[in-house]
Amino acid sequence: MNALRKFSLTLLFSLTMSAAHAADDKTLRLTSLDWPPYTGESLKDKGASAAVVKEAFKAVGYTVIIEFYPWSRAVRMVKDDPGYQGYFPEYYSDDTAKEFTYSAPMGSGPLGFAENVDNPIVWNTLDDLSKYRIGVVQDYVNTAEFDKRVAQKKLKVDTTVDDTKNLLKVNGKRIDLAVVDKNVFNYLLKTSGKLSEAKHKLRFNPKILEDKTLYICFKKGAAGERYAQLFAEGLKKINIDAIMASHLK
């Protein structure tokens, strides 16, 4: 009797664990950052990009758990912690592609410069910007040519931890320009209390650097490639532009 009961409990435990494992296989843990309106823990659906990610994976039967951290940590955790499958939203760069598997494109945003209305800057090529001090965010990918020139010290940059701090520096004329996504710029000016006194002194430079495509970066390896393939299949089943537009308006 005791042996039979022990066998039954063991079988039940095995079935329960198998079911839990199967459920876990249908769940992805991704990291992100507070980068409104694209991502943010307090945003509706966790932001425009997060909404696309969740809907695409839902379309292929997967659930996504998103955890928010400062950007450098969000990237590092995917590198170091086996419990995370990827991070987003990321721009493409050859260096990043060496360490991660890129997903299919999941939307885009115009990348350019914030400037002080008292100091508008006219430029045509990056060479024209060599005399200015430009704010960038630590560990952000910008454009290939911009980042190349920074590495070659052909552009003078000032690094900080987020876009808000860069915008405050532009307002205070401590830097001349700050690299920022236009949608992020507009959102921060409308919602950030820290920028309430600065918003009338800031504007988005009319010339953009690039319309940047957004991606998920998955871990390198077979699992990452499989998730990238599943995500691509899911994207075909949803309306990316409609989801993005509804959260960016």
Side-chain angles (χ1 to χ4, degrees):
M1 183 71 176
N2 288 338
L4 179 59
R5 184 183 179 190
K6 183 177 180 180
F7 173 78
S8 298
L9 289 173
T10 301
L11 179 60
L12 178 61
F13 177 79
S14 298
L15 291 173
T16 301
M17 292 302 293
S18 296
H21 185 266
D24 288 343
D25 283 347
K26 290 285 188 177
T27 301
L28 281 79
R29 290 176 71 200
L30 305 178
T31 64
S32 190
L33 79 165
D34 280 311
W35 194 50
Y38 296 104
T39 52
E41 196 159 15
S42 63
L43 300 177
K44 176 187 175 185
D45 299 326
K46 308 301 183 186
S49 294
V52 171
V53 169
K54 286 186 173 184
E55 286 301 313
F57 273 113
K58 181 180 177 181
V60 290
Y62 280 71
T63 300
V64 176
I65 297 171
I66 303 170
E67 297 181 17
F68 294 87
Y69 302 97
W71 183 242
S72 297
R73 185 181 175 194
V75 177
R76 187 173 65 252
M77 289 182 76
V78 176
K79 288 182 180 180
D80 299 340
D81 191 328
Y84 297 96
Q85 285 81 38
Y87 73 92
F88 77 99
E90 178 64 285
Y91 296 151
Y92 182 83
S93 84
D94 289 337
D95 287 341
T96 304
K98 294 174 184 177
E99 297 187 87
F100 298 95
T101 296
Y102 270 88
S103 73
M106 48 171 281
S108 65
L111 187 69
F113 297 107
E115 63 184 11
N116 194 298
V117 295
D118 294 333
N119 184 34
I121 292 171
V122 178
W123 66 284
N124 293 304
T125 70
L126 291 177
D127 288 334
D128 299 330
L129 301 177
S130 61
K131 60 184 176 181
Y132 299 109
R133 192 161 187 82
I134 304 170
V136 297
V137 177
Q138 179 182 344
D139 294 333
Y140 276 20
V141 171
N142 299 296
T143 71
E145 190 58 34
F146 182 92
D147 290 340
K148 177 181 176 182
R149 285 170 182 264
V150 170
Q152 295 171 340
K153 301 189 184 303
K154 292 181 178 180
L155 291 174
K156 295 175 286 189
V157 298
D158 184 279
T159 303
T160 190
V161 295
D162 60 44
D163 291 301
T164 299
K165 287 183 173 62
N166 264 340
L167 295 179
L168 288 170
K169 288 183 179 181
V170 175
N171 178 65
K173 298 182 181 178
R174 287 178 284 163
I175 56 177
D176 301 293
L177 298 165
V179 181
V180 64
D181 175 280
K182 187 175 183 179
N183 291 316
V184 173
F185 174 81
N186 291 335
Y187 184 92
L188 290 175
L189 287 195
K190 290 177 182 177
T191 64
S192 174
K194 294 179 181 179
L195 295 170
S196 59
E197 296 182 7
K199 61 184 178 182
H200 300 299
K201 301 295 290 182
L202 299 174
R203 73 166 197 164
F204 195 80
N205 187 281
K207 182 176 175 63
I208 70 167
L209 277 165
E210 188 179 320
D211 191 43
K212 297 291 292 184
T213 305
L214 303 172
Y215 303 89
I216 303 175
C217 280
F218 296 105
K219 288 180 184 290
K220 278 286 189 183
E225 291 175 5
R226 179 168 174 268
Y227 288 133
Q229 182 179 359
L230 285 166
F231 185 58
E233 292 174 9
L235 288 175
K236 294 176 183 178
K237 301 182 180 195
I238 65 173
N239 189 329
I240 302 173
D241 292 339
I243 294 172
M244 291 289 286
S246 70
H247 288 78
L248 294 178
K249 65 182 179 180

